[in-house]
Amino acid sequence: MSFLESGKTIRTTFNQMPPKRHDLDTSKSEVLAYICEQMGCDLGKAIRAFNSMRHPKCRVLVFDKMERQWKGCEFRPSDAETSELSIIREHRSFERQLSVVKSAMRRMQGDIEDLKRKASARPKWKKGGKKVESEPKPEPEQEPVEAKESSEPSLADEFEKLLSDLKAS
């Protein structure tokens, strides 16, 4: 926790900061001017403080994407109507973020199902690198094909004939 010379923390000093515009040109930045004024410091120290306060882990200052301005994390407009609109806008922003997370979850679940199907189709392996024999799938039973009676001799008959000729010679 960072303290100012007055004994207050940076969070308590800047969490109610009203919306201010920031410009890369430091002389035009309202945020940096406000920080310099509140902390009573030079521009270099204000830039370092701004960078630490806007960091996602700290989040003392947050960026309002609708207004494109920086504001304190607990800032609420003074009049009731504007405050209510601000809360509604923030709520809608959370709903959009939630829908993005939900769609990502659905995609990941689909990917998991695909991977499970692919894994079940792959052959299983033992630790020694030997393939595990899966249970043989029962083949559909085929009806025996009846031999057609024909004038041609069968293979068995031809074999017997050849065998008898060999014995005779």
Side-chain angles (χ1 to χ4, degrees):
M1 208 182 279
S2 298
F3 291 92
L4 300 175
E5 292 175 4
S6 63
K8 293 172 71 177
T9 64
I10 288 179
R11 179 171 288 279
T12 58
T13 305
F14 293 100
N15 67 356
Q16 294 291 328
M17 182 182 91
K20 305 273 183 199
R21 296 212 179 271
H22 178 62
D23 197 317
L24 289 177
D25 182 7
T26 55
S27 62
K28 295 179 183 176
S29 176
E30 297 172 5
V31 175
L32 294 177
Y34 183 81
I35 293 172
C36 284
E37 179 185 321
Q38 293 296 315
M39 292 178 65
C41 63
D42 64 337
L43 194 58
K45 189 172 181 181
I47 291 171
R48 286 192 302 277
F50 173 65
N51 287 334
S52 70
M53 287 188 284
R54 71 181 182 160
H55 194 275
K57 287 186 178 179
C58 180
R59 292 188 52 89
V60 174
L61 299 179
V62 293
F63 185 71
D64 184 355
K65 292 178 182 177
M66 298 294 281
E67 301 292 326
R68 302 198 46 78
Q69 294 180 342
W70 289 92
K71 63 180 181 176
C73 60
E74 296 176 13
F75 173 77
R76 294 285 177 255
S78 57
D79 61 1
E81 185 177 325
T82 311
S83 179
E84 187 175 320
L85 289 173
S86 171
I87 291 171
I88 289 170
R89 201 174 331 134
E90 201 168 319
H91 177 69
R92 287 182 182 151
S93 171
F94 287 138
E95 285 178 336
R96 283 191 299 272
Q97 291 173 2
L98 181 63
S99 68
V100 168
V101 169
K102 282 182 179 179
S103 66
M105 289 281 294
R106 280 193 298 271
R107 274 196 313 270
M108 287 179 194
Q109 286 173 339
D111 292 345
I112 289 170
E113 293 299 321
D114 289 344
L115 289 172
K116 283 181 180 178
R117 274 195 299 273
K118 287 179 183 176
S120 66
R122 292 181 67 190
K124 307 289 187 234
W125 295 86
K126 286 185 180 178
K127 284 187 180 179
K130 295 181 180 178
K131 199 174 193 180
V132 175
E133 294 296 326
S134 58
E135 296 178 13
K137 295 180 182 176
E139 295 181 17
E141 294 182 19
Q142 296 178 353
E143 296 180 16
V145 179
E146 295 180 19
K148 298 179 182 176
E149 291 189 27
S150 65
S151 59
E152 297 177 18
S154 68
L155 286 175
D157 293 337
E158 286 183 32
F159 180 73
E160 285 180 30
K161 184 180 176 190
L162 289 172
L163 188 62
S164 62
D165 288 343
L166 260 172
K167 286 181 183 177
S169 55

